[in-house]
Amino acid sequence: MQKIVVLSGAGISAESGLSTFRGAGGLWEGHRVQDVASLEAFFHNPDMVLNFYNARRSALAEVKPNKAHIILADLEREYDVRVITQNVDDLHERGGSSKVLHLHGELTKAKCSVCSYKKTIAYKHLEVGTLCPNGHQLRPDIVWFGEAVPAIEEAIELVLQADIFLVVGTSLEVYPAAGLVHYVRCRPIYIVDPAEPGSGYLSSKEVIRFRMNAAEGLEKWKNEIKKSPALGGTFT
Ligand code: OAD
């Protein structure tokens, strides 16, 4: 089976009703990123940080996967589809994708701020005083700014193996995730996004852009990949 590797970002969940991070209406408006998404912030103001993620979790419980998530899931019938997502939501999984690697953690999980304890919390709130069995404070299982991205090596391996590589709904501004495009060996790189992410540093790569929202763009992309050289097709 041909391997499709997808790098997704907040834009794929926009049509489900979750805000993206950058640009108008971005999630961080009114919150400086460092105020909510760093270990320092958590130590200085744990209530604020936990409440911020509690609100994100509550919002997630109210939304559904959209057509873009479902298109990727349905492609598993024909391809080995691997999703590498920067998103901390669970909409790829709820849309039916079975192989999803979360680079930046997951809202539905908590981990201990001291030991290695991890736990699925679904859409429940974490409070100051929600402790692990060893008595330490739990925190969201999110990769915060300044922290290592443990899944990046696995992601690089996947990207190297891709027969088809798709980027959808990410500004390609946050590293190391954005750097994954440099490991792509297959061609072209498909990008579905109403904006033009990576336009500078991808100029030496063969890129086919679908400048549209994820659901519409993935529908078009799905037909286009049949022509991909990796699948024995040719571009005209
Ligand atoms: P951004 O908010 O930086 O970028 C969202 C991208 O989605 C932009 O390129 C938009 O043009 C595009 N977009 C907007 N609406 C869309 C739609 N309906 N369909 C398709 N694309 C659309 O989000 P990310 O690139 O995911 O990290 O941000 C990367 C990381 O920055 C996040 O994972 C988060 C944040 O800091 C952590 O939380 C660690």
Side-chain angles (χ1 to χ4, degrees):
M1 247 187 183
Q2 302 286 339
K3 195 187 286 277
I4 296 183
V5 178
V6 181
L7 175 63
S8 72
I12 197 169
S13 298
E15 286 162 278
S16 292
L18 297 178
S19 313
T20 60
F21 290 87
R22 295 173 182 80
L27 189 63
W28 304 115
E29 274 183 13
H31 288 284
R32 292 192 317 138
V33 173
Q34 321 67 302
D35 288 345
V36 286
S38 73
L39 202 54
E40 287 88 339
F42 183 61
F43 284 130
H44 284 119
N45 196 345
D47 267 324
M48 193 267 286
V49 173
L50 292 179
N51 285 339
F52 175 80
Y53 286 102
N54 288 340
R56 304 275 76 73
R57 225 175 277 112
S58 298
L60 180 55
E62 299 299 316
V63 300
K64 293 196 176 93
N66 66 60
K67 195 171 150 204
H69 297 105
I70 290 164
I71 288 173
L72 291 179
D74 287 349
L75 280 173
E76 290 192 8
R77 288 195 221 113
E78 289 173 76
Y79 304 98
D80 176 14
V81 183
R82 308 300 183 99
V83 179
I84 302 168
T85 188
Q86 296 164 84
N87 297 344
V88 296
D89 66 49
D90 59 356
L91 295 180
H92 279 298
E93 288 90 342
R94 278 157 57 193
S97 284
S98 63
K99 291 167 189 150
V100 184
L101 183 63
H102 284 270
L103 281 180
H104 294 162
E106 293 172 77
L107 273 175
T108 53
K109 293 186 178 153
K111 67 180 180 183
C112 180
S113 52
V114 178
C115 68
S116 58
Y117 181 80
K118 275 203 189 200
K119 169 183 192 189
T120 296
I121 54 169
Y123 309 104
K124 290 197 203 101
H125 283 192
L126 282 178
E127 314 287 352
V128 173
T130 316
L131 306 179
C132 82
N134 295 323
H136 310 301
Q137 177 65 44
L138 289 181
R139 56 167 272 187
D141 186 10
I142 302 283
V143 174
W144 282 329
F145 283 89
E147 294 188 311
V149 179
I152 196 71
E153 295 296 330
E154 191 180 343
I156 290 170
E157 279 309 308
L158 283 176
V159 172
L160 288 170
Q161 294 162 13
D163 297 303
I164 307 247
F165 186 76
L166 167 73
V167 176
V168 53
T170 170
S171 58
L172 292 175
E173 282 194 19
V174 173
Y175 282 77
L180 286 171
V181 295
H182 299 301
Y183 293 90
V184 180
R185 288 177 171 158
C186 58
R187 48 171 274 272
I189 291 177
Y190 298 95
I191 301 186
V192 175
D193 198 297
E196 216 172 290
S199 49
Y201 62 82
L202 284 177
S203 55
S204 63
K205 296 262 188 196
E206 189 182 336
V207 174
I208 294 185
R209 292 184 187 271
F210 297 84
R211 286 202 58 172
M212 44 191 89
N213 287 346
E216 189 192 356
L218 285 198
E219 194 64 57
K220 294 223 158 61
W221 162 80
K222 189 176 78 172
N223 298 322
E224 184 73 14
I225 57 172
K226 313 267 187 228
K227 297 187 223 158
S228 162
L231 303 188
T234 48
F235 292 109
T236 48

